[in-house]
Amino acid sequence: MTVAKAVVTGVVYRNPEKRFTSNNVPVSAFVLNIGEKEELLIRVLAKKNSLDEVVSSISKGSRVLVEGRLQTNNVKNENGVERKIYEIDANSIELMGSSSSTSSDFSDDIVKFADTEIGDELIGEDEIPF
């Protein structure tokens, strides 16, 4: 269900990956943390070919701005428990920061996340709808 148009900024929590639908349409997806003090994870889906270049330059820890439609989705985990997740069907994605700056200029701003099972539990591979 589409909730509203959304514009969010955050730090990429999980590297993007590209998959293909049964009709061979490419769809890239990554997880974005938009929380400042606590993790607030949103899955970002990039279905437009025009977004391929920017998505391929994104990696874990990158700061991005995403504009698109906010959607909710009900999924069942392996135990059969149903829960609600949030997704943004992206219309545009922009890397924040200039490419002329060195990565050390932003090292104080980038939030580093330790690999934890909690993050993987929130939005797992089996929950990607394609």
Side-chain angles (χ1 to χ4, degrees):
M1 168 200 323
T2 298
V3 178
K5 183 176 179 177
V7 178
V8 297
T9 61
V11 177
V12 176
Y13 186 82
R14 187 180 297 156
N15 284 327
E17 62 179 60
K18 184 185 273 191
R19 295 192 182 179
F20 295 86
T21 65
S22 58
N23 296 335
N24 207 26
V25 176
V27 178
S28 297
F30 61 93
V31 177
L32 185 66
N33 179 16
I34 63 169
E36 291 186 23
K37 299 196 188 262
E38 294 182 12
E39 290 178 350
L40 179 54
L41 304 178
I42 293 181
R43 182 182 314 145
V44 177
L45 300 173
K47 299 174 185 173
K48 296 183 177 184
N49 288 333
S50 61
L51 298 176
D52 277 348
E53 187 176 329
V54 71
V55 169
S56 65
S57 65
I58 293 173
S59 62
K60 185 175 181 177
S62 299
R63 286 187 179 275
V64 295
L65 180 137
V66 178
E67 180 271 322
R69 290 179 303 143
L70 180 63
Q71 306 175 134
T72 60
N73 195 5
N74 292 324
V75 295
K76 287 186 181 182
N77 64 12
E78 350 179 290
N79 300 333
V81 177
E82 193 169 296
R83 62 190 182 93
K84 188 175 283 196
I85 62 171
Y86 297 92
E87 302 175 329
I88 293 181
D89 185 2
N91 290 325
S92 67
I93 301 170
E94 295 180 32
L95 278 169
M96 296 178 70
S98 65
S99 59
S100 62
S101 299
T102 62
S103 61
S104 62
D105 292 342
F106 295 100
S107 61
D108 293 336
D109 295 336
I110 295 177
V111 177
K112 306 263 190 226
F113 296 98
D115 290 331
T116 63
E117 291 184 27
I118 295 171
D120 291 337
E121 224 173 83
L122 291 174
I123 300 177
E125 288 295 317
D126 57 329
E127 297 172 358
I128 296 176
F130 49 87

